[in-house]
Amino acid sequence: MPSTTYIGGYNQHYQDILNPGSQLLQYQPNICFLLLSLHELEPLVCQQFSSLSDQDKQNCQERILTHIENWVDLALQKTDATVLVSNFQIPTFPSYGIADLQQDSGELEFYIELNLKLCKKFKHHSRAYIFDIDRLASRFGKDRASDPKMLYMAKMLWTDEFFAIVANEFIRYAIGILGRSKKCLVLDLDNTLWGGVIGEDGIEGIKIGIGDPISEAFLAFQQKIVDIKNRGVILAICSKNNPDDALEAFQKKAEMPLKIDDFSASEINWDAKHLNIQKIAKTLNIGTDSLVFIDDNPAECSLVQQMLPEVTTILLPPDSASYISTVDQILALEKLDVRSDDLVKTEQYIQNKKRQQAHDNIGDLNSYLYSLESKVTIKTVSEQDLSRVHQLFSKTNQFNLTTIRYSVSDIEKFYQSDTYQLITVAAQDKFGQLGTIGQCLLKLSSEVIEVDSFILSCRAMGRGIETALINFIKKKYLIGHTSVKLVGTYIPSKKNLPIKSFLEAQGLKLIDESIDGKKYYELLSKDAQEIPCPWLEIIV
């Protein structure tokens, strides 16, 4: 769906948010972007900074922060939008010149403190984020970012060329806000993670490490990939190579920042790469549209683009010194927040491999489930859970009853409402923590409990955890109660076939089915029974 925008009148941001009939409020934005100019907000700071007393400067700073914080509070109250707040560009030529940093209250210090206080005010907010305009201007070139003539003539704070940079950065935020980030980065090996071809040049011949420009470029690139992994993006290998040669490089090249255990899946063989990418997606139990693929070979990239257009395919430039800047431009790898769950993504996928190996070795499903020694924690959400709840709504496709994508604002309203109940489920077993892997949103009334949404991460499917969560709902709201019924709707999508028969399996009765495939279910309290899953230890 194409995006649309509303741009408020110059310096009318308060009028727009306070007027109930304003175009902004009628527009009902998903994202609000507050980009203010100190030339209008606090002209004394821009025009007479060196004449201000220390107390005047402090007062100016407090007025700016209060103005912004009050506006953000109003925007969050009156809209469902996620709010982006720009910080302020630090001047390139401060009022005191080169003596500025020697002053007790210099201009650079003023701006640094102002931007830091802004950052701290919104650091842990679920719907308000700082947009770092000063960093963008520094990268672009501050002298090129603004045009004094246009500022005086038309109150234009930035040049058209710099606004293009701002727009590109805005897309990064929009991807994160709308939950469009990719889950997995798939990498080639030869001339991608190291210089040279391992099968021809051998361990000593490939380039990575300290000592020459090419080796150091590949070393820096691998460190960049480590940084991306630490955002919670999972890594995979797709390489045409002899597997033993490739693995030997990871074992013997101690200077490489990346280790083989950093990769959650790998396909190292001589098959076509688009086929191997499909295998990787299947191994990780995610869609191919969740992948970014990076390779140095134009022919390989072209084939993957043709066969798997939903994969974001990146062709590396000929010069390895430019690899990092190329990866920095991949918008789809951005995340608004890095949670503790994200930091252990790779470990969780490695644990899943061990679970699958245990399953294959044991063979019998029942014995396997008991062997996992799983503990499941079911609870109503706390405020600290809301970010993860939004992630699950945004990204879970397969075991998702309705695939409704609720916004952060929607989730906050559910959390604060007496009409709705959000329940989460977390799990661990002998292999490690799975984290928060499922949730259910209930709409409550005296006689009807409606399952609005039911979601379980694909990595937790088939273990009975979904049954444990339904048992919890039955026990709390149905069993022992009279004249209460549980209702739910299955809304089919391209990806949620695994949950198609779930409600029937939990004892709910199919009462209607529409022509578009929607199924409507109910369970009367007198018919409600828990379905045993004794291999799970339930903690509530």
Side-chain angles (χ1 to χ4, degrees):
M1 181 182 295
S3 61
T4 59
T5 58
Y6 165 77
I7 301 176
Y10 186 79
N11 212 19
Q12 297 293 301
H13 54 288
Y14 255 98
Q15 290 86 332
D16 267 346
I17 207 67
L18 288 171
N19 177 9
S22 72
Q23 291 185 54
L24 171 64
L25 297 183
Q26 292 177 18
Y27 182 73
Q28 298 181 331
N30 299 111
I31 303 172
C32 281
F33 184 17
L34 184 65
L35 180 58
L36 297 180
S37 166
L38 286 190
H39 291 273
E40 293 292 336
L41 188 57
E42 277 291 336
L44 289 178
V45 171
C46 298
Q47 299 166 10
Q48 303 176 35
F49 187 87
S50 63
S51 300
L52 300 177
S53 68
D54 289 354
Q55 187 59 53
D56 289 337
K57 295 171 187 176
Q58 183 66 33
N59 292 341
C60 286
Q61 199 172 92
E62 290 305 317
R63 283 196 296 272
I64 294 165
L65 293 168
T66 300
H67 182 98
I68 293 172
E69 188 169 21
N70 288 344
W71 185 90
V72 170
D73 286 343
L74 285 168
L76 296 176
Q77 292 171 23
K78 294 177 178 290
T79 76
D80 293 335
T82 298
V83 178
L84 302 181
V85 181
S86 171
N87 63 7
F88 299 97
Q89 180 185 321
I90 299 174
T92 52
F93 290 96
S95 300
Y96 298 109
I98 61 173
D100 184 81
L101 291 177
Q102 303 303 316
Q103 306 305 306
D104 289 335
S105 185
E107 193 169 8
L108 297 182
E109 185 177 334
F110 175 90
Y111 277 86
I112 291 170
E113 283 185 351
L114 175 61
N115 286 342
L116 183 59
K117 288 178 180 177
L118 264 179
C119 178
K120 288 184 175 180
K121 277 186 180 294
F122 300 109
K123 182 181 287 292
H124 299 296
H125 205 291
S126 61
R127 282 175 57 206
Y129 299 88
I130 294 300
F131 189 97
D132 194 352
I133 203 83
D134 182 65
R135 175 178 55 81
L136 289 184
S138 297
R139 194 176 76 203
F140 181 75
K142 290 183 177 179
D143 290 341
R144 297 168 55 215
S146 59
D147 182 346
K149 182 177 180 180
M150 295 307 296
L151 175 62
Y152 301 138
M153 289 181 61
K155 304 301 182 186
M156 287 181 60
L157 188 60
W158 310 112
T159 62
D160 289 344
E161 293 79 9
F162 182 58
F163 263 124
I165 302 298
V166 174
N168 191 69
E169 188 77 357
F170 179 84
I171 293 172
R172 294 178 185 268
Y173 281 86
I175 286 171
I177 291 168
L178 299 175
R180 304 292 175 82
S181 304
K182 301 282 189 171
K183 296 180 180 179
C184 177
L185 177 59
V186 183
L187 295 139
D188 177 41
L189 294 179
D190 292 333
N191 289 313
T192 297
L193 287 188
W194 52 67
V197 177
I198 185 70
E200 298 175 2
D201 301 317
I203 292 294
E204 300 304 321
I206 61 173
K207 289 185 172 293
I208 184 165
I210 301 297
D212 68 84
I214 295 176
S215 295
E216 291 181 6
F218 280 101
L219 180 66
F221 180 64
Q222 282 207 20
Q223 186 57 58
K224 167 61 70 172
I225 301 303
V226 171
D227 293 340
I228 291 172
K229 170 182 171 285
N230 289 340
R231 294 180 197 171
V233 177
I234 54 180
L235 304 180
I237 297 171
C238 180
S239 173
K240 286 185 175 178
N241 239 312
N242 181 332
D244 292 338
D245 291 341
L247 294 175
E248 188 181 12
F250 285 102
Q251 293 166 358
K252 294 187 176 179
K253 281 286 185 181
E255 59 268 49
M256 294 205 311
L258 285 168
K259 309 302 179 186
I260 195 62
D261 287 344
D262 289 316
F263 297 89
S264 300
S266 64
E267 292 294 334
I268 306 172
N269 51 51
W270 299 102
D271 295 341
K273 289 196 174 181
H274 69 277
L275 298 177
N276 279 334
I277 288 172
Q278 290 175 317
K279 291 179 184 177
I280 287 169
K282 185 176 181 180
T283 297
L284 298 174
N285 205 7
I286 59 178
T288 50
D289 58 352
S290 296
L291 305 178
V292 176
F293 172 59
I294 293 181
D295 202 315
D296 67 296
N297 188 316
E300 298 288 6
C301 287
S302 177
L303 183 58
V304 171
Q305 285 178 323
Q306 291 178 48
M307 303 304 294
L308 301 172
E310 71 278 13
V311 174
T312 300
T313 301
I314 306 297
L315 174 63
L316 290 170
D319 186 357
S320 56
S322 300
Y323 281 14
I324 288 178
S325 60
T326 300
V327 171
D328 283 336
Q329 298 305 315
I330 303 176
L331 306 183
L333 294 178
E334 292 289 357
K335 303 185 77 170
L336 270 180
D337 190 17
V338 179
R339 296 168 39 85
S340 57
D341 283 357
D342 296 321
L343 298 177
V344 295
K345 277 280 192 292
T346 299
E347 183 179 347
Q348 288 173 344
Y349 278 99
I350 291 171
Q351 291 167 1
N352 276 348
K353 286 182 183 178
K354 293 178 181 178
R355 293 181 185 105
Q356 186 59 50
Q357 289 169 356
H359 177 271
D360 295 343
N361 291 335
I362 293 174
D364 173 65
L365 177 60
N366 199 49
S367 299
Y368 165 70
L369 292 173
Y370 274 102
S371 75
L372 289 175
E373 302 172 13
S374 300
K375 296 180 180 180
V376 174
T377 301
I378 302 173
K379 67 182 184 71
T380 56
V381 298
S382 64
E383 190 170 359
Q384 291 72 31
D385 299 322
L386 298 185
S387 175
R388 176 58 178 161
V389 168
H390 180 241
Q391 278 187 349
L392 286 167
F393 272 121
S394 299
K395 293 182 176 296
T396 309
N397 295 304
Q398 296 182 63
F399 210 88
N400 188 329
L401 197 61
T402 61
T403 61
I404 297 173
R405 307 300 188 188
Y406 286 119
S407 68
V408 174
S409 174
D410 294 328
I411 293 164
E412 287 181 346
K413 289 177 181 177
F414 296 143
Y415 171 68
Q416 295 165 0
S417 171
D418 293 331
T419 305
Y420 287 89
Q421 183 76 270
L422 261 170
I423 303 168
T424 63
V425 56
Q428 67 180 82
D429 60 24
K430 68 179 183 181
F431 294 107
Q433 295 281 348
L434 281 82
T436 301
I437 39 80
Q439 63 198 27
C440 180
L441 174 63
L442 302 176
K443 187 176 181 180
L444 310 176
S445 69
S446 59
E447 296 182 352
V448 178
I449 309 299
E450 179 185 351
V451 181
D452 179 281
S453 300
F454 193 99
I455 294 170
L456 189 74
S457 173
C458 56
R459 57 194 168 89
M461 288 164 52
R463 302 175 55 161
I465 295 172
E466 60 275 21
T467 297
L469 183 50
I470 288 290
N471 283 345
F472 174 85
I473 295 167
K474 290 176 181 176
K475 187 174 181 179
K476 183 171 183 179
Y477 295 104
L478 298 182
I479 297 174
H481 299 266
T482 58
S483 302
V484 179
K485 65 180 177 180
L486 182 70
V487 301
T489 303
Y490 165 70
I491 302 177
S493 72
K494 294 180 179 179
K495 297 184 177 181
N496 72 346
L497 188 61
I499 201 173
K500 182 178 180 180
S501 303
F502 170 65
L503 292 179
E504 294 171 48
Q506 299 303 313
L508 280 78
K509 181 180 179 182
L510 178 66
I511 58 172
D512 194 15
E513 185 171 1
S514 62
I515 194 170
D516 60 359
K518 292 181 183 177
K519 293 185 175 184
Y520 303 90
Y521 295 88
E522 71 173 27
L523 176 64
L524 302 180
S525 54
K526 66 182 181 65
D527 299 324
Q529 295 181 2
E530 293 184 65
I531 297 175
C533 36
W535 54 86
L536 299 177
E537 179 183 342
I538 309 300
I539 303 168
V540 295

